[in-house]
Amino acid sequence: MSGRNNTLIRSLHDVGLAAWFGGSLMGAIGLNGAAEHEGSTVAARARIASVGWAKWVPVNAAAIGAHLFGGGGLLAVNAHRVRTQQGVGASTTAKTAVTAAALAATAYARVLGKKVELASSYSVEDNEKAAEHPIDLEKAQRQLAWAQWAVPAFTGCLVVLNALHGEQQRPMAQFRGMWEHARSSTPLVP
């Protein structure tokens, strides 16, 4: 791919991750904190937070999509480094595992958030849906709080792994990594 395409996919990867991390952190601190401050009851706090999180869902989905698309593009562009530069394969594997954990935490938080939203809604339709699948609102909120903090924790780890990948792309790091890979693959090289 050309440098222009690399810039585009790198930008999608990085901006998507920045939005995913920043949005989840702001929601866990700012939005949930505001709901806690402004809501007079458990249900009112849940409604306030649910409205804000529901508005964030489409933006978050776009950010995650951009990050994954950019990550796939970067993996394709750098496949030779993953195979031949010592350390890059391991950090790529770690980054893939942490991305999967972040996706799982995000999905779990959304499922719990939807349950809390239904259980705390004023809507007759939502109340009917909630009655079909009753939940313990306070328990769901406790689980949701943990899940919402897991997302910025995992995406923060991705930011750190992204920095590591950047360091591994420095020319001397590439040279050393490829030399070490060659040395370990060929027993006669000193």
Side-chain angles (χ1 to χ4, degrees), residues 115 118-121 123-135:
K115 286 181 179 181
L118 288 173
S120 64
S121 177
S123 161
V124 173
E125 184 180 306
D126 285 349
N127 286 334
E128 288 172 359
K129 287 180 188 176
E132 292 172 15
H133 306 286
I135 65 159

Side-chain angles (χ1 to χ4, degrees), residues 32-49:
N32 290 348
E36 190 67 32
H37 185 265
E38 292 299 317
S40 56
T41 65
V42 170
R45 290 189 289 274
R47 276 192 301 279
I48 293 167

Side-chain angles (χ1 to χ4, degrees), residues 49-103:
S50 292
V51 168
W53 282 108
K55 290 187 179 295
W56 172 244
V57 167
V59 176
N60 196 38
I64 292 168
H67 173 69
L68 294 175
F69 183 81
L74 287 174
L75 184 58
V77 167
N78 292 300
H80 66 285
R81 287 185 49 247
V82 174
R83 284 189 311 274
T84 61
Q85 184 180 345
Q86 189 171 32
V88 176
S91 63
T92 300
T93 300
K95 193 170 177 185
T96 301
V98 174
T99 300
L103 287 168

